[in-house]
Amino acid sequence: MDSLGVNIGLDSSSAITGSLSSSEATSKTSVKSVYNSISKRVDEVEDILSSNSFYSPDLDKATQQSINSILESTGDPYAKYFNAQDYSKLIEESKSNQYAGAGFTLNEMNGKCYIADVFDDSEAAVKGVKTGDYIKSINGANQLNKSAVEVTNEIGNNSGKSIVATFVHPLSSYGDTGEEYTVNLSISDQDVQNVTSSVSDGLAYINIHQFNDETESVLSALVKELDTDDVSAFVIDVRSNPGDYLSGALDSSALFLNSGTLVTIETTEGNSDRTTEGQTITSKPIVLIVDSNTSAAAEVFVASLHDNNRAAVVGHKTAGKGTVAAMRELTFGGAVRYTAARYITPSGNYIQDNGISPDIEVSDVSDLSYDDATLSSAIDSAVGIASR
């Protein structure tokens, strides 16, 4: 099966990069006049100023403001311009600080970096950092309107030290206002198991915290180990899973399907299907637990199994983050990020802004443990649905 390897839970700096060649640019550009071209309209103003005005625009400042205005006008929530200095810093820091953290993972939504998952027993968990909170500042520096990679790097730059971080606990999911609080957090290398498991009352519980290049192999080995006569079904928990690598999500869902379409990826060039064909590693029923922080590639994982009638879904409607951002370097320095693709579920629905609705709705599912009576009852019912 083809794998895209697109990191979308944190950011997509490594997803799609490069510059258009002159021939490619020509093929993608129609004949433009001042009536249908931003560049020609700006050229006209620039020519007037250079010929007649006592004042000249500051090139770098005008470039920054112009590009930001263009990107804002598109309505693309993930569009962002990085000048040459910021882009160079972003690439450098992404290579050196990717493992340093404060006990949580981040997701990006509406110009804010939200806590996607808080690791059990971490300092962040002890000090009250909650899934769904967003970061307002680090050591007094504003973090709003920064990408998740930029914020992650800002945290990683303080490895071996501590930071003063201000968070906001929003009044509503991904809301703009809420209770503000500040905590000190130690920054260190994070060594957290990405896939964990337990067995109780004939059910094998597997928690996938995020999808990466190793998830499929770890998950495969774990399912084969747990698939005994004492286990009647598998419960896979992807609550607060920010997604991360699409390839990891697709390879993982393919483990449980003999054949089928996993996802359709829509771009300006057209649609392409990601499919699988092979042997499932288990024939036992599968139940997926989701919440409003199940996002991006994790939503693809859920939809691929649910829409192929391989799993029942329990919990709360997922985040609805179903786009792929691309980062393209600019010939004059820097880079621009923009939405380049959208995910379509096997049943033909867009994930973006829609999310995945569960078969069995459970309110406030994010904080419920497996032995909670409400969640336990819903899982039992979902096992029955998945067994049909």
Side-chain angles (χ1 to χ4, degrees), residues 8-10 105-107 116-117 209-210 240-244 293 295-298:
I8 64 173
L10 294 180
T105 57
L106 293 174
N107 204 348
D117 191 17
H209 294 280
Q210 58 189 11
S240 297
N241 187 317
D244 285 353
N293 293 302
S295 180

Side-chain angles (χ1 to χ4, degrees), residues 57-252:
D58 180 299
L59 181 59
D60 291 336
K61 184 177 180 180
T63 298
Q64 179 99 31
Q65 292 178 343
S66 297
I67 295 177
N68 285 338
S69 295
I70 292 172
L71 295 178
E72 183 179 354
S73 72
T74 67
D76 183 347
Y78 304 108
K80 184 177 177 63
Y81 168 63
F82 299 86
N83 62 32
Q85 180 180 356
D86 289 342
Y87 182 58
S88 177
K89 182 180 179 182
L90 178 70
I91 296 301
E92 180 181 352
E93 291 177 344
S94 296
K95 295 177 180 178
S96 60
N97 292 309
Q98 55 184 324
Y99 301 111
F104 53 77
T105 57
L106 293 174
N107 204 348
E108 187 181 337
M109 187 78 74
N110 301 326
K112 300 181 182 66
C113 289
Y114 288 86
I115 306 302
D117 191 17
V118 181
F119 303 145
D120 293 338
D121 302 322
S122 66
E123 184 183 13
V126 171
K127 293 189 174 180
V129 178
K130 302 289 187 181
T131 298
D133 294 351
Y134 66 83
I135 299 179
K136 183 177 180 180
S137 67
I138 295 175
N139 292 335
N142 181 31
Q143 301 301 309
L144 300 180
N145 296 314
K146 288 190 176 182
S147 70
V149 166
E150 288 178 288
V151 176
T152 299
N153 289 341
E154 180 71 24
I155 294 171
N157 284 335
N158 292 278
S159 182
K161 306 176 184 177
S162 64
I163 61 172
V164 178
T166 298
F167 297 87
V168 176
H169 183 67
L171 296 175
S172 60
S173 182
Y174 303 116
D176 291 328
T177 60
E179 179 186 357
E180 187 174 304
Y181 64 96
T182 301
V183 295
N184 291 307
L185 296 172
S186 301
I187 308 303
S188 61
D189 290 349
Q190 302 296 307
D191 184 17
V192 179
Q193 283 187 291
N194 189 45
V195 183
T196 57
S197 67
S198 62
V199 177
S200 177
D201 296 328
L203 298 178
Y205 295 92
I206 298 176
N207 192 309
I208 304 177
H209 294 280
Q210 58 189 11
F211 291 98
N212 58 34
D213 290 338
E214 299 178 353
T215 304
E216 181 267 343
S217 60
V218 174
L219 180 61
S220 177
L222 196 56
V223 170
K224 291 175 181 177
E225 176 186 338
L226 297 175
D227 195 5
T228 65
D229 292 339
D230 295 328
V231 169
S232 60
F234 286 89
V235 179
I236 303 178
D237 192 340
V238 287
R239 287 177 290 180
S240 297
N241 187 317
D244 285 353
Y245 283 93
L246 177 63
S247 58
L250 294 179
D251 290 344
S252 296

Side-chain angles (χ1 to χ4, degrees), residues 327-346:
M327 185 82 79
R328 189 176 293 277
E329 295 181 6
L330 300 169
T331 57
F332 54 86
V336 63
R337 185 183 65 177
Y338 57 95
T339 296
R342 295 188 293 184
Y343 296 138
I344 302 174
T345 68

Side-chain angles (χ1 to χ4, degrees), residues 20-30:
L20 290 176
S21 67
S22 58
S23 60
E24 290 174 319
T26 300
S27 67
K28 290 177 175 291
T29 305
S30 60

